[in-house]
């Protein structure tokens, strides 16, 4: 079972606590239950992240995690891009690219949508490994420069 102790300690070291851009909301059990009712294939490491670190941005808008999943239609982009219907996003990099899951594959690995090409890129990384990269953190809790 995933645990985000290393990531929480890392964010305490690298983030400015007074910067509102680093505020996150921890999801409660009812919110997680509602997410699972709507998206039963959600990976456990993603759900644990929402309960331990929470939704919102980290590292002064390095990356943003939404409190719920969304798709291109939710963003009004479905007329510009065509994607498989079972790809749902959990976050973005503030540069127009989105990260999520392909529930047709149901492997728990993260997929990225690159807006410039309109293509999906399969990272072959589970959520926890992927989010560490977005935090610019290595597997030992050290900053990647």
């Amino acid at each position: 079972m995933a645990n985000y102790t290393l990531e929480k300690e890392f964010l305490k070291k690298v983030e400015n606590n007074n910067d509102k851009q680093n505020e996150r909301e921890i999801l409660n059990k009812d919110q997680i239950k509602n997410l699972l009712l709507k998206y039963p294939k959600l990976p456990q490491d993603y759900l644990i992240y929402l309960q331990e670190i929470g939704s919102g941005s980290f590292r002064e808008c390095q990356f943003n995690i939404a409190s719920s999943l969304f798709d291109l239609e939710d963003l009004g982009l479905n007329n510009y891009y065509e994607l498989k219907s079972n790809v749902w996003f959990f976050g973005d990099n503030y540069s127009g690219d989105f990260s999520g899951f392909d529930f047709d594959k149901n492997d728990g690995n993260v997929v990225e949508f690159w807006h410039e090409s309109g293509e999906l890129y399969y990272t072959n990384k589970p959520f926890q490994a992927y989010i560490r990269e977005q935090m610019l953190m290595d597997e030992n809790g050290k900053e990647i420069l």
Side-chain angles (χ1 to χ4, degrees):
M1 191 169 222
N3 174 319
Y4 286 94
T5 302
L6 198 59
E7 292 83 353
K8 289 188 284 190
E9 290 173 9
F10 176 76
L11 290 174
K12 282 181 189 174
K13 287 188 272 186
V14 299
E15 287 184 329
N16 177 351
N17 287 347
N18 298 320
D19 193 328
K20 291 200 178 283
Q21 296 175 95
N22 297 324
E23 290 182 359
R24 290 177 287 277
E25 176 190 351
I26 302 292
L27 273 65
N28 63 39
K29 291 188 186 302
D30 287 337
Q31 290 168 307
I32 296 295
K33 184 177 163 185
N34 288 336
L35 270 176
L36 279 170
L37 285 172
K38 193 168 183 182
Y39 310 102
K41 297 178 182 179
L42 280 171
Q44 281 298 314
D45 55 349
Y46 168 70
L47 296 169
I48 293 167
Y49 177 93
L50 291 173
Q51 292 174 330
E52 290 190 17
I53 294 179
S55 65
S57 67
F58 53 77
R59 297 210 63 179
E60 292 76 41
C61 295
Q62 171 75 21
F63 196 86
N64 183 58
I65 304 287
S67 60
S68 185
L69 300 183
F70 57 94
D71 64 8
L72 292 181
E73 185 175 350
D74 293 331
L75 300 170
L77 297 175
N78 56 316
N79 291 331
Y80 303 99
Y81 302 102
E82 191 172 320
L83 280 184
K84 302 185 329 178
S85 63
N86 220 7
V87 173
W88 292 89
F89 302 110
F90 60 76
D92 69 272
N93 65 0
Y94 289 100
S95 296
D97 303 319
F98 304 104
S99 303
F101 304 109
D102 181 345
F103 289 136
D104 287 337
K105 286 192 83 161
N106 196 29
D107 61 3
N109 288 335
V110 174
V111 61
E112 294 176 325
F113 172 73
W114 295 349
H115 77 282
E116 288 184 14
S117 65
E119 296 177 0
L120 286 178
Y121 170 72
Y122 289 83
T123 66
N124 297 316
K125 294 178 184 162
F127 178 82
Q128 188 168 24
Y130 179 81
I131 213 62
R132 281 182 177 174
E133 281 185 5
Q134 301 310 307
M135 289 179 181
L136 305 176
M137 174 187 145
D138 71 15
E139 64 278 351
N140 300 312
K142 304 289 184 216
E143 187 170 21
I144 300 170
L145 300 175

